Amino acid sequence: MAAYPDNAFWMRRALAEAVRGEGHVEPNPMVGAVIVRDGRLIAVGHHARFGGPHAEVVALETAGEAARGATLHVTLEPCCHTGKTPPCTETLLKAGIARVVAAVEDPYPKVAGGGFAQLEQAGVSCLRGVLEVEARRLMAPYLKRVATGLPFVIAKWAMTLDGKTACATGDSRWISGPRSRAIVHEVRGKMDAIIVGIGTALTDDPELTARPPGPRRALRVVLDSSARLPETSRLATSARDVPVLVAVNAQAPADRKDRLERLGCEVLVVNERGSIDILALLHELGRRGATNVLVEGGGRVLGAFLDAQQVDAVDVYIAPKVEGGPATFSPFQGRGAARMADSLRLGHVEWQDLDGDLRLTARTDLTG
């Protein structure tokens, strides 16, 4: 189609609008919309909060009568069902939109092409797949949860240039600098859950909160098969203010579980014995609506997620420090790959200089 370059231009604007909803709209996807007429921008909109009006509706309200006969560029197929808001397709038809250009078909079962079908039956021209790769990357957490019921998992760690996450003594404060730590707090403020192992909880006594608070308040999860989390820990003593879930196995001592529950922690039995079943835990978090999960370690926990093939992205902070000594603390442990060819392959790599630290973000799937 001759107009495709223009469609790509306006879709990039719609994608930029969509990002404005990050951390506010989950478990819904981030969606942006742009209304154009005769090559001129008429209105923009984005989904700003869960339960609020969708991006198309926001843009239409701004456009008013100017929307009649115009083209809507939207990052996700318009919905055709009643949820927390009325169907967007009906609103588009009433507004007189003549053409819809969309990046991605919505896989949600109540839509799944039905929005396009309803619009086309009413005479609205629909073009699909414009900047689909970029849009799928943006909506990867939503797409994964709809397809699998599992949240999107980001593995986060800080390390020295020689790949250490702590000294041989266990000391890890601080590997990265103040700016890196500030970025981590921003990331935490957009998460539905933050996961650590009991080793990290015992060694570092973390709070796992976002400071200052972000748009979301993450559930703090400790993988603690034997319920060893101390009653005096920051996590346990703050559980009535910010939720804490302690994942245990069925063999965990009843008195320890009772003490944690009295402090306000939720104790969840995930499996009968042994280490916590990562897939079972993620299915439970997905059932609760979690879309984005940050795993902050330690190495055995990150290794368990890697072994379960549940690392979707990485967020790494590399400090210009060399520790030396034995490789006691490495970011990922677990079984690991038997051959280099079996290693987790990352794509869409981005680097950022944070006052001397290097931040690397990457994803496991270029289309997700």
Side-chain angles (χ1 to χ4, degrees):
M1 173 173 279
Y4 182 83
D6 289 339
N7 290 333
F9 174 83
W10 294 118
M11 189 61 73
R12 286 192 183 91
R13 178 65 186 273
L15 287 166
E17 277 294 309
V19 174
R20 296 177 63 187
E22 185 178 13
H24 298 274
V25 302
E26 292 81 2
N28 283 355
M30 292 179 280
V31 180
V34 173
I35 296 175
V36 177
R37 183 169 187 158
D38 299 325
R40 290 189 307 108
L41 178 65
I42 301 298
V44 300
H46 70 280
H47 185 33
R49 61 179 178 84
F50 180 68
H54 289 186
E56 305 95 312
V57 174
V58 174
L60 288 170
E61 288 176 350
T62 301
E65 280 301 311
R68 196 161 297 280
T71 296
L72 170 75
H73 294 78
V74 64
T75 56
L76 185 67
E77 174 186 8
C79 68
C80 55
H81 70 291
T82 299
K84 291 188 176 294
T85 59
C88 288
T89 49
E90 292 182 7
T91 307
L92 292 172
L93 293 174
K94 288 177 183 176
I97 287 289
R99 184 167 174 262
V100 170
V101 178
V104 176
E105 180 178 304
D106 192 343
Y108 186 62
K110 291 183 178 180
V111 185
F116 291 136
Q118 191 176 106
L119 291 169
E120 288 173 333
Q121 287 169 8
V124 176
S125 171
C126 294
L127 176 64
R128 305 156 173 81
V130 175
L131 298 191
E132 181 175 3
V133 170
E134 292 87 340
R136 290 183 65 84
R137 185 179 299 134
L138 178 70
M139 290 184 278
Y142 167 76
L143 296 174
K144 181 186 178 185
R145 200 173 68 83
V146 170
T148 67
L150 303 173
F152 189 83
V153 177
I154 303 167
K156 172 263 168 185
W157 70 95
M159 67 182 184
T160 61
L161 280 176
D162 54 337
K164 311 290 178 54
T165 58
C167 295
T169 61
D171 176 58
S172 62
R173 293 191 176 180
W174 296 101
I175 293 175
S176 55
R179 191 172 171 204
S180 293
R181 298 198 297 274
I183 294 292
V184 170
H185 282 283
E186 289 182 18
V187 173
R188 284 179 177 176
K190 298 173 183 176
M191 295 292 113
D192 295 304
I194 300 170
I195 300 175
V196 296
I198 184 59
T200 297
L202 292 172
T203 302
D204 295 344
D205 192 20
E207 265 187 275
L208 301 181
T209 54
R211 302 182 294 275
R216 306 192 78 73
R217 187 174 72 164
L219 172 68
R220 300 172 296 170
V221 181
V222 185
L223 306 190
D224 182 12
S225 55
S226 299
R228 292 189 292 146
L229 183 68
E231 297 172 60
T232 56
S233 66
R234 292 182 183 181
L235 287 166
T237 56
S238 63
R240 295 197 185 279
D241 299 318
V242 183
V244 173
L245 186 151
V246 182
V248 303
N249 66 31
Q251 311 303 313
D255 59 332
R256 294 182 191 172
K257 293 189 292 183
D258 290 343
R259 285 198 294 266
L260 290 172
E261 287 176 336
R262 283 198 296 271
L263 286 168
C265 297
E266 178 187 357
V267 177
L268 176 70
V269 176
V270 178
N271 44 280
E272 284 299 313
R273 56 179 54 83
S275 300
I276 301 303
D277 185 321
I278 298 302
L279 278 175
L281 175 65
L282 288 177
H283 273 293
E284 174 59 21
L285 293 176
R287 186 191 67 78
R288 298 180 183 206
T291 303
N292 291 286
V293 169
L294 186 68
V295 183
E296 294 206 16
R300 286 193 300 173
V301 170
L302 286 168
F305 275 83
L306 184 65
D307 290 342
Q309 298 182 328
Q310 290 301 315
V311 173
D312 300 301
V314 300
D315 190 3
V316 190
Y317 301 81
I318 306 168
K321 299 177 180 179
V322 178
E323 178 194 321
T328 306
F329 293 93
S330 61
F332 286 85
Q333 296 176 26
R335 295 190 307 272
R339 302 181 307 156
M340 191 59 67
D342 299 327
S343 300
L344 179 67
R345 178 67 181 175
L346 300 169
H348 192 59
V349 178
E350 295 183 356
W351 293 92
Q352 184 180 6
D353 183 349
L354 299 176
D355 295 339
D357 292 344
L358 285 179
R359 181 192 187 194
L360 179 150
T361 57
R363 297 199 175 197
T364 58
D365 184 356
L366 283 171
T367 64

